[in-house]
């Protein structure tokens, strides 16, 4: 009951009515009105709190991307990857604040928004929505950083990160998620962004990787020769990032409901979360089994992780409208689509260090199509509504590919023409951590500490303790190679050093001892054909105490491969 109703009650009350009971009724009505107002404010605050907590979890996706990318690249570029992922947040926040949010969610026409510039006219309670949509925009930009890793110039990264976050993604978001977007007023169904976020980021990643070209050493000069795997330096770091992404996806999809206080909100959030984990699980299992049955015969952790991510990407579109069995089927097929894109990228010789295109573009495209088939009133149920969704989702798919691909082609092409897209060859070979940032991710000097003096070798009969003698080769510093029976230092041929691409202080050829009992350096490619040299293996041969005592042959511990 409103204040107006209370006034009417007072004016129209019969004169004979008991005044005491009348005032009691009025007081109760006013209390009820006050409770209604308080309850409405409480519901609004609950929605804001829900959106902020979900946004915090989605923001943590940036940490997941950072760890995943760091583990998937070589150690000489780890710091470079970290600062680029951090700049995705910093640059994206400024761009989305100034014009991105206005383009995406401001009032305008069916193509672009034209209000809320720099959010100066946005109510404070609406700022939670700004933050929520910002983390989505930052996710779309971060997808690209994986496909251009280890060779993209720093200035080019500044440009494309701001353009993607501030213009390319917001236009697509306005099409699908604003009140007057031309896709939003149709049967287009993309609940959490299989198309808006992941397909946009995946297509941009494809164009970026294509315009940049492969990393040095990724493919042989001749198409008849096999491609080379430039493996990342840390599977545990990549795994940590992957688990963070799996956690973040639950909030990413469940939080897309946008509120929690209205009837049906809780059920929609619960269904989205359950469908997300089921699709991710089935996608990972699908890739695990099929990859094991392939020529590799390996139970691959990294491929399984990417398969689960592809499953979660694919379910974003319809996680609110599918039954769990439909989410399972969607994830199973998403895993195989990921594998298809993975091998296709290698076949056409496009270098994507993190399989970002296969995960996000492949999974996003399939997610838009799968929604039309498996949603509650979809094609598999024999409903005509599914055909309408299929039509408009396919139209949206083509529109996103044309928009994001076309703009990124112009942007990356212009930077390539101006020779500002890719780092110089020398810097790419040596790595960007030291040459550009002056901060190696794993400085060898940090391992030169007294606690690593080996007393073990003294007990074994060695006359002089060797500093760092218990450490593997890549963790030794310039004092880590100290001869107990000195030999003449060797200097490998210049061609070998150029092929290693070594820049960090873990490799000191002038201090390497000649004794075969400790160090051996060989490279079958260099020995057989120097022009095809791509990988130099450094091996540390260290006889253990028991092996020396028993006169057995020393073991070989392969420290690392560059």
């Amino acid at each position: 009951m409103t204040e107006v109703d209370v006034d009417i009650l007072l004016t129209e009350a019969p004169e004979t009515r008991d005044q005491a009971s009348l005032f009691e009724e009025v007081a109760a009505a006013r209390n009820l009105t006050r409770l209604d107002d308080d309850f409405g404010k409480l519901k609004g605050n609950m929605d804001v709190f829900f959106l902020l907590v979900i946004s915090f979890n989605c923001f943590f996706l940036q940490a997941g991307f950072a760890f995943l990318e760091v583990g998937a690249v070589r150690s000489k570029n780890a710091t470079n990857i970290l600062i680029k992922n951090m700049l995705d947040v910093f640059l994206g926040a400024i761009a989305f604040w100034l014009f991105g949010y206005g383009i995406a969610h401001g009032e305008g026409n069916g193509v672009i928004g034209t209000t809320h510039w720099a959010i100066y006219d946005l109510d404070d309670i609406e700022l939670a929505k700004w933050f929520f949509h910002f983390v989505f925009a930052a996710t779309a930009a971060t997808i690209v950083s994986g496909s251009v890793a280890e060779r993209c110039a720093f200035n080019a990264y500044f440009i494309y990160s701001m353009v993607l976050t501030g213009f390319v993604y917001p236009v697509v978001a306005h099409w699908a998620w604003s009140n007057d977007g031309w896709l939003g007023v149709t049967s287009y169904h993309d609940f959490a962004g299989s198309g808006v976020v992941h397909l946009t980021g995946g297509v941009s990643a494809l164009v970026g990787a294509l315009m940049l070209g492969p990393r040095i050493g990724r493919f042989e000069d001749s198409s008849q020769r096999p491609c080379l795997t430039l493996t990342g330096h840390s599977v545990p770091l990549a795994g940590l990032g992957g688990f963070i992404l799996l956690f973040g996806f639950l909030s990413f999809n469940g939080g897309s409901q946008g509120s929690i206080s209205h009837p049906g909100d809780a059920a929609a959030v619960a269904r989205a979360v359950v469908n997300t984990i089921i699709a991710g699980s089935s996608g990972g299992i699908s890739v695990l089994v099929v990859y094991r049955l392939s020529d590799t015969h390996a139970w691959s952790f990294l491929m399984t992780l990417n398969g689960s991510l592809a499953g979660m990407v694919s379910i974003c579109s319809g996680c609110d409208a599918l039954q769990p069995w439909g989410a399972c089927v969607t994830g199973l097929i998403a895993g195989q689509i990921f594998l298809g894109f993975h091998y296709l990228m290698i076949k056409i010789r496009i270098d994507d260090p993190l399989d970002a295109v296969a995960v996000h573009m492949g999974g996003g495209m399939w997610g838009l199509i799968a929604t039309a088939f498996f949603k509650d009133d979809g094609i598999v149920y024999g409903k005509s509504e599914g055909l309408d969704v299929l039509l408009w989702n396919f139209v949206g798919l083509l529109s996103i590919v044309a928009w994001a691909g076309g703009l990124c082609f112009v942007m990356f092409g212009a930077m390539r023409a101006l020779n500002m897209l890719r780092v110089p060859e020398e810097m790419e070979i040596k790595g960007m951590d030291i040459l550009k940032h002056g901060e190696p991710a794993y400085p060898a000097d940090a391992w030169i500490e007294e606690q690593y003096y080996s007393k073990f070798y003294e007990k074994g009969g060695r006359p002089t303790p060797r500093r760092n003698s218990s450490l593997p080769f890549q963790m030794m510093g310039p004092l880590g190679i100290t001869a107990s029976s000195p030999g003449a230092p060797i200097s490998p041929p210049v061609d070998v050093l150029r092929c290693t691409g070594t820049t960090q202080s873990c490799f000191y050829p002038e201090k390497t001892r000649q004794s075969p009992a400790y160090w051996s350096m060989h490279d079958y490619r260099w020995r057989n054909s120097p022009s095809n040299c791509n990988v130099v293996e450094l091996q540390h041969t260290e006889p253990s105490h028991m092996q020396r005592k028993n006169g057995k042959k020393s073991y070989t511990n392969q420290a690392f491969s560059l």
Side-chain angles (χ1 to χ4, degrees), residues 329-364:
V329 175
T330 299
L332 288 172
I333 299 176
Q336 300 313 301
I337 290 176
F338 158 75
L339 284 177
F341 269 83
H342 168 78
Y343 289 117
L344 177 63
M345 293 286 286
I346 296 175
K347 183 69 175 179
I348 61 180
R349 308 172 75 81
I350 296 179
D351 185 16
D352 183 2
L354 272 85
D355 274 330
V357 176
V359 170
H360 297 278
M361 182 178 174

Side-chain angles (χ1 to χ4, degrees), residues 299-316:
W299 300 100
S300 172
F301 168 76
L302 293 177
M303 294 296 288
T304 303
L305 174 61
N306 280 334
S308 65
L309 293 176
M312 289 190 170
V313 167
S314 67
I315 201 60
C316 286

Side-chain angles (χ1 to χ4, degrees), residues 100-295:
Y101 186 81
I103 293 173
H105 301 284
E107 296 178 1
N109 51 50
V111 177
I112 191 170
T114 56
T115 59
H116 300 320
W117 304 116
I119 62 175
Y120 78 96
D121 57 347
L122 204 64
D123 294 336
D124 288 347
I125 200 169
E126 297 294 321
L127 294 179
K129 294 182 179 179
W130 178 90
F131 185 56
F132 178 74
H133 290 290
F134 156 66
V135 295
F136 273 51
T139 299
T142 307
I143 292 169
V144 183
S145 66
S147 66
V148 300
E150 300 199 276
R151 61 210 192 272
C152 182
F154 210 58
N155 293 337
Y157 194 88
F158 272 68
I159 295 173
Y160 90 70
S161 183
M162 294 196 72
V163 170
L164 284 174
T165 310
F167 186 63
V168 176
Y169 164 82
V171 170
V172 178
H174 185 83
W175 293 351
W177 289 342
S178 67
N179 294 328
D180 55 354
W182 69 271
L183 270 178
V185 298
T186 67
S187 298
Y188 179 80
H189 190 110
D190 189 6
F191 180 73
S194 288
V196 175
V197 178
H198 297 284
L199 182 56
T200 300
V203 171
S204 303
L206 174 63
V207 176
L210 179 64
M211 299 301 291
L212 266 171
R215 291 168 292 172
I216 296 175
R218 179 64 176 95
F219 300 110
E220 295 283 3
D221 295 334
S222 173
S223 59
Q224 282 75 32
R225 293 172 180 167
C227 62
L228 301 172
T229 301
L230 301 181
T231 56
H233 79 283
S234 177
V235 173
L237 283 179
L240 174 61
F243 279 113
I244 293 174
L245 291 177
L246 296 179
F247 166 76
F249 257 111
L250 302 178
S251 294
F252 193 93
N253 289 1
S256 293
Q257 181 68 15
S259 61
I260 197 63
S261 64
H262 301 95
D265 282 349
V269 172
R271 176 186 280 203
V273 170
V274 170
N275 283 341
T276 300
I277 193 63
I278 289 177
S281 301
S282 60
I285 294 173
S286 171
V287 172
L288 174 69
V289 173
V290 174
Y291 194 75
R292 173 66 175 84
L293 298 176
S294 66
D295 294 337

Side-chain angles (χ1 to χ4, degrees), residues 267 270-272 274-276 278-279 282 315 318-331 370-371 373-378 380-381:
R271 176 186 280 203
V274 170
N275 283 341
T276 300
I278 289 177
S282 60
I315 201 60
C319 58
D320 66 320
L322 272 67
Q323 294 296 324
W325 71 266
C328 182
V329 175
T330 299
T371 300
F373 281 90
F374 300 115
K375 68 190 300 285
D376 288 337
D377 54 356
V380 296
Y381 295 97

